[in-house]
Every structure is written in structure tokens, then in C-alpha cells.
Amino acid sequence: MAEKTYPMTLTEKEQLEKELEELKLVRRPEIVERIKIARSYGDLSENSEYDAAKDEQAFVEGQISTLETKIRYAEIIDSDAVAKDEVAIGKTVIVQETGTKIKDTYHIVGAAGADIFSGKISNESPIAQALIGKKTGDKVKIESPAATYEVEIISVEKTN
């Protein structure tokens, strides 16, 4: 069975590589040092510092493994390969809900780069799936778990 690919921009991949390097070269050695110090306290059966450091080590190793997989199976999307006004990964889109003056700005990214708090939505989200492939001026129905609504695409531009 083929591995899942992770669509992302080159910038997103570079960001993941930087995060991986930080985990491997900084966090991992820090944890190893904390484990070494905690071992020096003696009895490991009641050593909370040792247990906490081992738990953190397991968490960081899991993060490293996840990042390595995402990087290995990264599918680089070139937003320049699609029309300037077409919604795609690596583009920023401003939409306005029909019948309102409410405008929302979304940065369409691969699932690995999603961060809703900074307006970066995954290409796998219902909003992005409805918008991808559409162009400036198009009206699009978005089906979310809460409701279905229509938006008009006001502008599309390459995300910096």
C-alpha cells in the first residue's frame, strides 16, 4: 500500500526541516542530560524527575518520527503553476459571506502546516476543499458541520 503524501509548499517543508533539526540537535540532547542527572539520584522506582524526563523523551521521539514521515513523503506544490487568481495550496484567499459585509482571510496550506489561530487552513478542511480550484469572483457553497453558507471569492494571491 502506498504511503500517504503530504502536500505542502517548499516553505512549509523547510519549516518542518528546521523544527526537526531543533528537536534532534537541541531538545533530544537536553532530555538525555536530564535523564542522566535523574539517574544519579538513585532509586528509579520513585524518581519523578526520571519519569518526567522519560515521558518527555517518548513525546519528542514521537514528534521526530512524525516530522520525518511528513518530510519524507512531502509533495511540493508550486502555487505558481496554477492561474494567478485560482485558489490553491500556497495561496491567500479573501472571501466575503453572501449577504454580509464579513470578510475572512485564509492561507491555504498542506495539512502539516495548518494553524487555525494564524489563519492557515489545511487543504483537507471543508472550507479549503470548497475553495480550491475556484477563482476570484466565484461564489462557493461551503458545507461545515455547523451550517452551509455561500461566500464570494474577493481576491486570491500568492502567500509570501
Side-chain angles (χ1 to χ4, degrees):
M1 184 167 98
E3 282 287 332
K4 175 182 178 183
T5 61
Y6 296 90
M8 64 183 72
T9 62
L10 184 58
T11 304
E12 288 176 78
K13 183 179 181 201
E14 289 168 351
Q15 189 175 358
L16 291 178
E17 289 169 339
K18 192 173 172 183
E19 188 178 336
L20 179 63
E21 186 176 337
E22 167 79 12
L23 288 172
K24 284 182 166 182
L25 301 179
V26 177
R27 295 272 314 272
R28 185 186 264 167
E30 286 173 352
I31 294 168
V32 168
E33 187 60 29
R34 284 182 40 217
I35 289 172
K36 192 185 326 178
I37 291 169
R39 275 192 180 138
S40 72
Y41 296 152
D43 184 13
L44 298 181
S45 65
E46 294 182 19
N47 189 329
S48 62
E49 289 87 356
Y50 178 78
D51 291 339
K54 290 298 280 182
D55 288 345
E56 187 177 358
Q57 182 183 40
F59 177 75
V60 167
E61 292 303 324
Q63 284 183 307
I64 288 170
S65 176
T66 299
L67 289 174
E68 286 175 338
T69 299
K70 287 178 179 178
I71 291 166
R72 182 178 310 116
Y73 296 104
E75 178 186 343
I76 303 304
I77 304 297
D78 181 10
S79 61
D80 292 332
V82 297
K84 254 185 120 149
D85 65 341
E86 183 179 336
V87 180
I89 292 176
K91 301 276 185 112
T92 298
V93 59
I94 298 174
V95 298
Q96 181 173 354
E97 190 171 343
T98 305
T100 71
K101 295 196 182 293
I102 299 171
K103 291 183 181 178
D104 289 310
T105 302
Y106 300 112
H107 307 288
I108 312 293
V109 298
D115 179 5
I116 192 66
F117 297 112
S118 61
K120 295 178 179 178
I121 62 171
S122 164
N123 64 307
E124 297 173 358
S125 72
I127 295 170
Q129 286 185 346
L131 295 172
I132 289 176
K134 305 298 189 288
K135 297 185 177 206
T136 303
D138 287 353
K139 291 191 188 291
V140 180
K141 275 196 176 165
I142 297 178
E143 294 184 29
S144 73
T148 299
Y149 57 97
E150 187 177 73
V151 298
E152 180 178 350
I153 299 174
I154 305 299
S155 72
V156 178
E157 55 189 56
K158 185 175 177 180
T159 302
N160 295 332

